[in-house]
Amino acid sequence: MGTTSPHATPRATRGPSTPKSPDPARRNPRSQQAIFEASLDLVGKVGYEKLTIEAIAARAGVGKQTIYRWWPSKAAVLLDAFTATVEDPDYDAGFPDTGDLAADLKGVLRATVDEFNDPAFEAPYRALAIASAGDPELAHSFVTRLSERGVQVYMDRLRTAQEAGEIDPRTDLRIATELMLSPFAQRWLTRSGPLTYAFTDALVDHALRGILTRDPGDPGDPGDPGDHRGPGDAGA
């Protein structure tokens, strides 16, 4: 997404913007964990609009001033909580590379379907995605801390395939990645259709059809004049 990442995500209802948070090392780890758990639990139950710092504090068993001392808004709390929850120590190991590009891409996107269809993941991620649409600083944090990492992992896998000669050297790898991740995000955000394995498999197939290296004269090759015939030119 994740991203997409989809291993690719989604501050406040219009409170203060979200400057850099105070040094996390100065926070009480036990209280911080209680606040994270409370914010993720509550956003899933009441939604982002009804989520409040006061409710988070009450659920976590801390004073609301403790939260305000560490975070400037409820969105900042939720972003830190969600980031901590989805952080994977093995994430930086990169994208699976079995030697089969299509299978690797489909496997990761299928796992992302499962993740985005999980209510425990979906509620906070959707809340952050919606909130960031109206808050440029939150949007920047959302992109740099969550979604951009996923994009880069996809691009790295495509770059490996490009260096191996599988992908046309003229291909813009970011655009190629977005050919898969952007429709995924659009469908999820707008609820315009179900997120299914069939859908993400089709995204991969269509994207690869446009970027894989072809031998001259192969059907679909950009230099093949047959590609440019119109519907009425079948016998030409």
Side-chain angles (χ1 to χ4, degrees), residues 83 92 96 101 126 141 143 154-155 159 164 174 177 188 209:
T83 302
D92 291 329
L101 177 61
R126 186 176 295 279
S141 295
V143 167
Y154 275 81
M155 289 176 62
R159 184 173 294 106
R174 176 170 284 276
T177 298
W188 178 76
R209 192 172 296 135

Side-chain angles (χ1 to χ4, degrees), residues 2-212:
T3 259
T4 114
S5 150
H7 251 11
T9 70
R11 254 167 157 144
T13 46
R14 256 348 290 179
S17 292
T18 52
K20 184 178 179 180
S21 299
D23 182 2
R26 299 181 63 185
R27 301 173 189 165
N28 180 295
R30 185 173 299 178
S31 295
Q32 174 177 277
Q33 184 60 31
I35 291 166
F36 284 174
E37 291 175 359
S39 64
L40 293 171
D41 182 56
L42 285 170
V43 77
K45 291 180 177 178
V46 305
Y48 183 75
E49 292 301 319
K50 294 182 179 179
L51 181 69
T52 65
I53 293 291
E54 289 75 12
I56 295 171
R59 175 66 63 91
V62 301
K64 67 179 182 180
Q65 290 307 317
T66 297
I67 296 179
Y68 280 120
R69 185 166 63 250
W70 294 342
W71 293 279
S73 66
K74 67 180 184 181
V77 178
L78 192 59
L79 180 62
D80 275 3
F82 186 73
T83 302
T85 299
V86 301
E87 196 68 46
D88 183 348
D90 297 324
Y91 194 81
D92 291 329
F95 208 95
D97 185 351
T98 66
D100 185 332
L101 177 61
D104 292 346
L105 293 169
K106 289 177 181 180
V108 170
L109 274 173
R110 284 183 172 205
T112 306
V113 166
D114 294 339
E115 189 173 50
F116 276 63
N117 284 332
D118 179 353
F121 178 96
E122 192 263 358
Y125 196 88
R126 186 176 295 279
L128 286 167
I130 293 171
S132 67
D135 185 333
E137 291 190 42
L138 175 60
H140 176 73
S141 295
F142 180 79
V143 167
T144 56
R145 294 176 59 183
L146 292 173
S147 61
E148 184 62 20
R149 291 185 66 202
V151 170
Q152 289 299 323
V153 169
Y154 275 81
M155 289 176 62
D156 289 344
R157 179 64 183 91
L158 293 180
R159 184 173 294 106
T160 298
Q162 190 176 52
E163 291 170 351
E166 296 179 68
I167 292 178
D168 190 314
R170 299 167 296 179
T171 300
D172 183 311
L173 298 183
R174 176 170 284 276
I175 291 176
T177 298
E178 291 179 354
L179 287 173
M180 295 175 283
L181 301 189
S182 294
F184 182 103
Q186 177 73 8
R187 175 172 286 204
W188 178 76
L189 279 170
T190 63
R191 306 180 196 269
S192 58
L195 285 183
T196 63
Y197 294 167
F199 172 65
T200 53
D201 285 357
L203 291 180
V204 172
D205 288 338
H206 281 282
L208 292 184
R209 192 172 296 135
I211 67 175
L212 289 179

